[in-house]
Amino acid sequence: MGASEELEYLKSLVSQLNEKIASLETKSKAPAAKSPAQQLRTILVGPPGAGKGTQAPRIRDQFCVCHLATGDMLREQVQKKTPLGVEAKKIMDTGGLVSDDIMVGMIKDQLENNKDCKNGFVLDGFPRTVPQAQKLDGMLEARREKLDSVVQLLIDDQLLISRITGRLIHAPSGRTYHREFNPPKKTGLDDVTGEKLIQRSDDNVEALTKRLKTYHSQTAPVVDYYKAKGLWHGVDAAQSPSVVWDSMRSIFVGKK
């Protein structure tokens, strides 16, 4: 091989190497693809005070999904005066219950328009009845999606009552604390904003006993519905929040 031929050969090698380097640099700068474990569609079930308010935001942050708390969604739709919100307000103003179709419509609206829902969701506060669960299934099937899991936080009622009577809430964000088990860094103040924490007026023994009775009567058929589908998982919510989280995370990752 002559000197000129060898030179051209080396130039060709250098050109190929530069192209390879450029390709690798482009790949390294691209956002990492979501792992299968981060594609999650789950429902969180549990009585008031079981820890849904602690665990749902953690699921949202760890798995890059949206947290759909139906009570919050309803208030937002009414406040923004969306078509669904206007319809819901008319019903609530007359003392009626918002229909299952409206609630499912609000969830569908979030899945279609909330960019945080592109990787999935954690649903909190819905469904409460078997017909609601069936309507939710139908909406997801129409979107060619399906639930991955339904996680129920299990805890004894008496322990729950002792937990809730010490519960403190940051009303604007929904962050929850407990005077004994999960106190704020500064007594009575939210860790993030420094704003005052409140205790819900219905966080008392008499009101809680009624709420728990309603929860058990409503939830049992829904739990049976999801057990029959093989989606249900129970987690001992009497443990520390970090242990509860580890148990939940193993369910989500294991389902992938």
Side-chain angles (χ1 to χ4, degrees):
M1 181 184 293
S4 61
E5 292 175 329
E6 188 174 0
L7 181 61
E8 289 303 316
Y9 173 69
L10 291 172
K11 284 181 178 180
S12 174
L13 282 179
V14 169
S15 176
Q16 290 177 39
L17 284 170
N18 284 335
E19 287 178 5
K20 183 68 174 177
I21 290 169
S23 174
L24 290 172
E25 285 179 340
T26 300
K27 287 181 179 179
S28 68
K29 291 177 182 177
K34 297 294 180 186
S35 68
Q38 289 175 298
Q39 308 298 315
L40 179 71
R41 299 178 186 89
T42 191
I43 295 173
L44 194 54
V45 180
K52 299 193 301 296
T54 298
Q55 300 298 342
R58 194 164 185 178
I59 299 169
R60 175 196 66 203
D61 295 342
Q62 292 283 328
F63 290 90
C64 304
V65 298
C66 60
H67 173 205
L68 301 180
T70 49
D72 293 341
M73 284 193 300
L74 184 56
R75 285 187 287 273
E76 182 183 358
Q77 294 272 353
V78 170
Q79 186 178 13
K80 289 184 175 179
K81 298 181 179 179
T82 65
L84 285 171
V86 169
E87 190 176 348
K89 189 174 187 303
K90 287 179 183 176
I91 296 168
M92 291 188 294
D93 285 347
T94 59
L97 294 174
V98 176
S99 72
D100 296 347
D101 287 332
I102 289 178
M103 294 307 300
V104 172
M106 288 183 180
I107 295 169
K108 182 182 178 184
D109 178 70
Q110 288 290 315
L111 298 184
E112 291 176 351
N113 299 307
N114 185 342
K115 66 181 188 300
D116 293 333
C117 296
K118 65 182 179 181
N119 297 316
F121 58 84
V122 51
L123 190 54
D124 172 7
F126 190 92
R128 294 178 185 269
T129 66
V130 172
Q132 288 177 353
Q134 292 169 334
K135 285 182 181 295
L136 179 64
D137 282 348
M139 184 270 286
L140 291 174
E141 285 170 11
R143 290 173 52 83
R144 297 184 180 179
E145 297 176 351
K146 62 180 180 179
L147 289 170
D148 299 309
S149 56
V150 176
V151 178
Q152 184 178 14
L153 298 177
L154 304 168
I155 187 169
D156 180 79
D157 283 3
Q158 290 305 312
L159 177 57
L160 202 56
I161 288 171
S162 68
R163 271 191 180 187
I164 295 180
T165 50
R167 184 167 66 174
L168 298 169
I169 297 172
H170 178 243
S173 69
R175 279 185 290 275
T176 58
Y177 302 85
H178 193 279
R179 289 189 177 93
E180 181 181 352
F181 305 120
N182 181 34
K185 294 174 183 177
K186 292 185 178 180
T187 304
L189 301 178
D190 178 51
D191 288 350
V192 178
T193 66
E195 295 172 337
K196 191 174 181 180
L197 301 174
I198 63 168
Q199 183 171 30
R200 281 176 44 163
S201 59
D202 56 349
D203 279 356
N204 60 72
V205 175
E206 184 179 355
L208 284 169
T209 302
K210 290 180 180 177
R211 286 164 63 194
L212 288 170
K213 185 177 180 180
T214 301
Y215 165 78
H216 290 306
S217 63
Q218 281 186 341
T219 304
V222 179
V223 166
D224 290 341
Y225 175 82
Y226 286 121
K227 281 182 177 178
K229 287 178 167 285
L231 294 171
W232 179 88
H233 301 267
V235 172
D236 180 4
Q239 306 170 96
S240 70
S242 61
V243 175
V244 172
W245 167 250
D246 288 341
S247 299
M248 293 174 67
R249 189 180 185 284
S250 67
I251 292 168
F252 302 144
V253 175
K255 292 297 288 182
K256 297 300 168 183

